[in-house]
Amino acid sequence: MADHAGKAALYDALAESAKALANGRRAELIDVLTQGERSVEDLALEIDQTVANTSQHLQRLLRAGLVRTRRDGTRIFYELSSPVVSTLWHTMRRVAEEHVDGLEQLAAAYVGDRSGLDTMTRDELRERLRDGDVVVLDVRPSAEYAAGHIRGALSVPIGDLRARLQDIDSGARVVAYCRGSYCVYADEAVRLLAEAGRDAARLEDGFPEWASARLPVARGM
Amino acid sequence: MADHAGKAALYDALAESAKALANGRRAELIDVLTQGERSVEDLALEIDQTVANTSQHLQRLLRAGLVRTRRDGTRIFYELSSPVVSTLWHTMRRVAEEHVDGLEQLAAAYVGDRSGLDTMTRDELRERLRDGDVVVLDVRPSAEYAAGHIRGALSVPIGDLRARLQDIDSGARVVAYCRGSYCVYADEAVRLLAEAGRDAARLEDGFPEWASARLPVARGM
DNA sequence: GTTCTATTCAATGGAATGCTTGAATAGAAC
DNA sequence: GTTCTATTCAAGCATTCCATTGAATAGAAC
């Protein structure tokens, strides 16, 4: 007969990865890290938590093996330890979307009304990029742009957009993108651009989807 | 600016699915349910817990939407609410295998030494089934056989195997299978058969892998 | 060496979780 | 109707988890 203690311990270990994700703040961290590596302070700002608290969550993720660290001078960068982790996060999100009820309402409440916003599919953007008749704006924080972006996109963090409006060719069709469908930066950008009389749309999804569809990306500033 | 409370609530909701899996006993339940629906008492036996405790875990899974129930006479059957859940479980397992350290040791400690056991791949078994020169034994509990099994397999729960040895054609090559690579029933069966002088091997993986490879399956006893 | 800064550590209190026990419920069988 | 049985509910206690606070550390800049 198999030993019961052994079986329990095995499943406890298997559940460790789930435990690491079983907290809203850590889920948020993993989601942000999906966009690329970030420093602790940066992440703390991103998830609206104290640095100490963020650090503790990160260390829990580290212990579970979901992230790894790299030191650069005085700061420490965290990143996902492998692509499987990002797959896990996306699968979890799909399951939650399908099965956690009330989630759609929460998402709608957070994202707000998108009915007035023009959108563009990945395929259309790819074609227009090939034809060169589009300006693509990456409105995520510049650290995320640096870690990877759609090839040909300009980095215009959402906070800088208003000030840099005049740098953007006023005749061109403009497409803004950010992290994905839950991310509201691109929405804000499109609204701001539309108010300024530009022909603006948001990419339906975000950078991770673009990258995992193996479409052209670039790194650095 | 987006409301922070809304964002936190959204991610908390997304983390709900992970919380449901963030416990060894619940992970075990999901794993068993991967094989098909089961009653509460049955599941309690399977995970070596009291019925009350098992019931509470099941209800947590139910609240998270990962399972659904069906009443049949006096008992209640639980099953996974959709195939995505089983995908989630497998992804989680892959992540744990890759990143939780000490897991391999735990698995090895539980599974024991397999070096003396002959194994057969899915492809080989499929060919032999087509040629008809193999006896296939499903050594899982009969409830799991009923919920779905390799077409052509006989149901011989591991506890009954010794008593039914003489029913098995003594000239044939015998292949035993159970739930997957962590499942030890098939190992036990192969050892028992080998001791009895039979030509026995275990299928490398288990029924779920067979089914998701879309190979021939059947239901019922 | 000293100072500065990003990160981590340690201790706290309050909330959620997990297992146990014994009682309650809701259909089935009679 | 009564009895039986599978499941759920409710209360209790020990454990773990989470955000906060303030102190400690380790490397960079000077």
Side-chain angles (χ1 to χ4, degrees):
Chain A
M1 212 56 284
D3 59 322
H4 293 163
K7 186 171 67 157
L10 178 58
Y11 279 93
D12 285 346
L14 285 169
E16 276 309 308
S17 317
K19 278 189 192 160
L21 283 170
N23 171 276
R25 251 30 63 220
R26 288 197 294 272
E28 221 171 324
L29 286 170
I30 292 286
D31 195 29
V32 174
L33 290 175
T34 292
Q35 312 287 331
E37 63 166 21
R38 300 291 284 279
S39 71
V40 178
E41 194 177 12
D42 222 10
L43 288 165
L45 267 171
E46 198 69 66
I47 67 169
D48 307 306
Q49 298 288 312
T50 63
V51 172
N53 193 20
T54 305
S55 172
Q56 314 211 81
H57 279 307
L58 286 168
Q59 279 168 80
R60 205 152 184 318
L61 291 172
L62 190 63
R63 258 178 283 133
L66 301 193
V67 301
R68 60 170 170 231
T69 61
R70 168 177 87 79
R71 174 156 226 141
D72 179 20
T74 164
R75 71 188 70 193
I76 292 180
F77 287 85
Y78 279 81
E79 72 177 330
L80 300 188
S81 56
S82 88
V84 213
V85 177
S86 135
T87 305
L88 176 60
W89 167 242
H90 285 116
T91 311
M92 231 191 68
R93 208 157 83 171
R94 232 173 71 230
V95 168
E97 280 161 2
E98 219 169 285
H99 297 300
V100 175
D101 49 75
L103 194 133
E104 274 179 52
Q105 288 70 30
L106 282 171
Y110 171 55
V111 166
D113 183 21
R114 268 179 182 162
S115 59
L117 298 177
D118 196 7
T119 63
M120 187 179 285
T121 63
R122 270 205 304 273
D123 285 340
E124 190 182 347
L125 179 57
R126 190 185 43 183
E127 279 178 35
R128 280 173 171 276
L129 266 174
R130 200 157 37 203
D131 300 345
D133 65 339
V134 67
V135 171
V136 183
L137 303 184
D138 184 319
V139 295
R140 299 174 299 165
S142 57
E144 293 179 25
Y145 178 89
H149 55 265
I150 294 182
R151 194 196 295 159
L154 305 172
S155 174
V156 184
I158 185 68
D160 303 352
L161 180 57
R162 192 180 295 275
R164 293 182 54 191
L165 263 180
Q166 73 277 9
D167 301 347
I168 300 164
D169 178 5
S170 63
R173 179 152 172 80
V174 183
V175 176
Y177 73 89
C178 49
R179 293 166 179 166
S181 55
Y182 285 151
C183 178
V184 295
Y185 296 151
D187 293 351
E188 210 177 313
V190 171
R191 287 201 188 88
L192 204 153
L193 287 160
E195 275 171 30
R198 306 306 181 90
D199 177 16
R202 77 161 277 158
L203 178 62
E204 259 181 10
D205 33 43
F207 175 70
E209 290 80 5
W210 181 274
S212 69
R214 311 204 146 275
L215 294 172
V217 302
R219 282 165 182 280
M221 289 311 293
Chain B
M1 216 52 290
D3 59 324
H4 293 164
K7 187 171 66 154
L10 178 58
Y11 280 93
D12 285 345
L14 285 169
E16 277 309 309
S17 316
K19 278 188 193 162
L21 284 170
N23 171 276
R25 252 30 63 222
R26 288 198 295 272
E28 221 171 325
L29 286 170
I30 292 286
D31 194 29
V32 174
L33 289 175
T34 292
Q35 312 287 329
E37 63 167 21
R38 300 290 285 277
S39 72
V40 178
E41 194 177 11
D42 222 10
L43 288 166
L45 268 171
E46 198 69 63
I47 67 168
D48 307 306
Q49 298 288 312
T50 63
V51 172
N53 194 20
T54 305
S55 171
Q56 314 210 83
H57 280 307
L58 285 168
Q59 278 168 81
R60 204 150 185 319
L61 291 173
L62 190 63
R63 258 179 282 133
L66 301 193
V67 302
R68 61 172 170 231
T69 60
R70 167 177 88 78
R71 173 156 227 141
D72 178 21
T74 165
R75 71 188 72 191
I76 292 180
F77 287 84
Y78 279 80
E79 71 177 331
L80 299 189
S81 55
S82 88
V84 212
V85 177
S86 134
T87 306
L88 177 60
W89 167 242
H90 284 117
T91 311
M92 231 192 67
R93 209 157 81 171
R94 232 172 71 231
V95 169
E97 279 162 4
E98 219 169 287
H99 297 300
V100 175
D101 48 75
L103 194 133
E104 275 178 51
Q105 288 70 28
L106 283 170
Y110 172 54
V111 165
D113 183 21
R114 269 179 180 160
S115 60
L117 298 177
D118 195 7
T119 63
M120 187 179 286
T121 64
R122 269 207 304 274
D123 285 339
E124 190 182 347
L125 179 56
R126 190 184 45 183
E127 278 177 35
R128 281 173 170 275
L129 266 173
R130 200 158 37 205
D131 301 345
D133 64 341
V134 66
V135 170
V136 183
L137 302 185
D138 184 320
V139 295
R140 300 174 298 164
S142 55
E144 292 179 25
Y145 178 89
H149 55 265
I150 294 181
R151 194 195 293 158
L154 305 172
S155 174
V156 184
I158 185 67
D160 304 352
L161 179 57
R162 191 179 297 273
R164 293 181 54 191
L165 263 180
Q166 74 277 8
D167 301 347
I168 300 164
D169 178 4
S170 63
R173 179 153 170 82
V174 183
V175 175
Y177 74 88
C178 50
R179 294 165 178 168
S181 55
Y182 284 152
C183 177
V184 295
Y185 295 151
D187 293 350
E188 209 177 316
V190 170
R191 287 203 188 88
L192 204 153
L193 288 160
E195 276 172 30
R198 307 305 182 93
D199 177 17
R202 77 162 276 159
L203 178 63
E204 258 180 11
D205 33 43
F207 175 70
E209 290 81 4
W210 181 273
S212 68
R214 311 204 146 276
L215 294 173
V217 303
R219 281 164 184 281
M221 289 311 294

